[in-house]
Amino acid sequence: MKFLMSAACGSFSLKFLAGLSVCLPVLGFAQTGAQLPLLMGTGGNGTSYSVPVQTLLFFTALSFLPAILLMMTGFTRIVIVLSLLRQALGTQSVPPNQVIVGLSLFLTMFVMGPTLDSVYSEAYLPYSNNTLPFDQALIKAEAPMRQFMSKQTRQSDLALFVKLAKLDVGTTAATAPMRVLIPAFVTSELKSAFQIGFMIFIPFLVIDIVVASVLMSLGMMMLSPVLVALPFKLMIFVLADGWNLLLGSLAASFVT
């Protein structure tokens, strides 16, 4: 037992010394006010991070990309409307989820094109050319996104979150902080998506009712109305050029 305890103490001492040897240079840099190597440096435009730290920050920012895509663009409205269309048609997995998400992504890029171009030209290019600091680049990038979200946000939704945040009643979308504007924008997007989905469901619901009534009058109680109505739904949707109308209406529904 004594041998095991002495061995454990010896192992702990080695680990402690190894950790201390790593921490002492860091403490020395901190006390002298020096900067750690490969972490940061000071240039003409302020503090600039080294390549390893920039890589770390880049991959950390990628984890927030799905949240930005869902909460600050038109992706939410588009993907919900396309999913409701699939349910209204009665097709369980056609189009598949990959097609719906991919189509929603590229339609979002089409709708957000002018906004993304403004972010690229006003914020990213100056920052990449080292003519604009990172904090000012964020402010420049926020302005086009705020303008886009403000045009899609209902005043009632914005007033709700302004009240919950205990801000001034006269706060507008242009002056509201992003923590207030983003949930108001998402709420408005959900409302718009369900309103469009309701309009999509009505003609398909009428077809279901007509088919069910015909089958009941013919005494075909055991035949599923959904199975019989599906070919008629697909035929009417294709003849009416439904994809063209739906995608065009979705793109035009965003106020730019």
Side-chain angles (χ1 to χ4, degrees):
M1 178 65 71
K2 292 181 178 180
F3 176 76
L4 293 176
M5 293 181 62
S6 62
C9 292
S11 176
F12 176 78
S13 301
L14 290 175
K15 292 179 180 178
F16 177 76
L17 291 175
L20 190 61
S21 65
V22 174
C23 293
L24 281 178
V26 177
L27 295 176
F29 275 110
Q31 290 176 358
T32 59
Q35 294 175 347
L36 294 177
L38 296 178
L39 286 185
M40 63 179 62
T42 303
N45 296 324
T47 302
S48 60
Y49 293 96
S50 62
V51 175
V53 177
Q54 289 180 5
T55 305
L56 177 62
L57 294 176
F58 174 74
F59 283 105
T60 303
L62 284 180
S63 61
F64 294 95
L65 187 60
I68 295 175
L69 178 64
L70 290 174
M71 300 293 104
M72 299 179 65
T73 66
F75 181 82
T76 300
R77 181 193 304 188
I78 296 171
V79 74
I80 289 177
V81 169
L82 293 181
S83 300
L84 291 176
L85 171 66
R86 183 173 63 180
Q87 294 184 11
L89 285 172
T91 56
Q92 299 298 324
S93 58
V94 179
N97 292 328
Q98 293 86 346
V99 175
I100 289 180
V101 173
L103 181 59
S104 303
L105 180 60
F106 281 97
L107 191 58
T108 302
M109 293 173 60
F110 173 78
V111 171
M112 298 289 297
T115 304
L116 297 179
D117 290 341
S118 300
V119 172
Y120 179 78
S121 60
E122 297 176 8
Y124 179 75
L125 277 182
Y127 173 70
S128 62
N129 294 329
N130 294 325
T131 59
L132 193 67
F134 181 72
D135 52 350
Q136 295 185 11
L138 283 180
I139 297 176
K140 290 287 187 179
E142 179 185 331
M145 298 299 298
R146 177 184 292 273
Q147 183 179 6
F148 172 80
M149 290 189 292
S150 301
K151 293 180 179 179
Q152 321 303 325
T153 304
R154 292 178 172 83
Q155 293 296 326
S156 58
D157 298 328
L158 181 63
L160 170 64
F161 287 96
V162 166
K163 180 180 178 181
L164 292 176
K166 298 180 180 179
L167 299 177
D168 186 13
V169 181
T171 302
T172 61
T175 59
M178 295 299 286
R179 62 184 176 88
V180 174
L181 181 60
I182 291 177
F185 167 73
V186 175
T187 305
S188 297
E189 287 294 286
L190 291 174
K191 288 183 179 179
S192 301
F194 280 99
Q195 288 176 356
I196 298 174
F198 172 76
M199 300 301 295
I200 291 174
F201 258 93
I202 290 179
F204 296 113
L205 181 61
V206 171
I207 295 175
D208 286 333
I209 293 174
V210 171
V211 170
S213 301
V214 172
L215 292 178
M216 289 288 292
S217 63
L218 295 176
M220 298 180 180
M221 307 286 294
M222 303 301 293
L223 189 59
S224 174
V226 178
L227 184 63
V228 178
L230 179 59
F232 294 99
K233 291 180 182 179
L234 295 177
M235 179 184 65
I236 293 176
F237 186 73
V238 171
L239 291 177
D241 202 3
W243 287 113
N244 194 343
L245 292 174
L246 178 63
L247 297 181
S249 301
L250 269 176
S253 65
F254 291 93
V255 180
T256 56

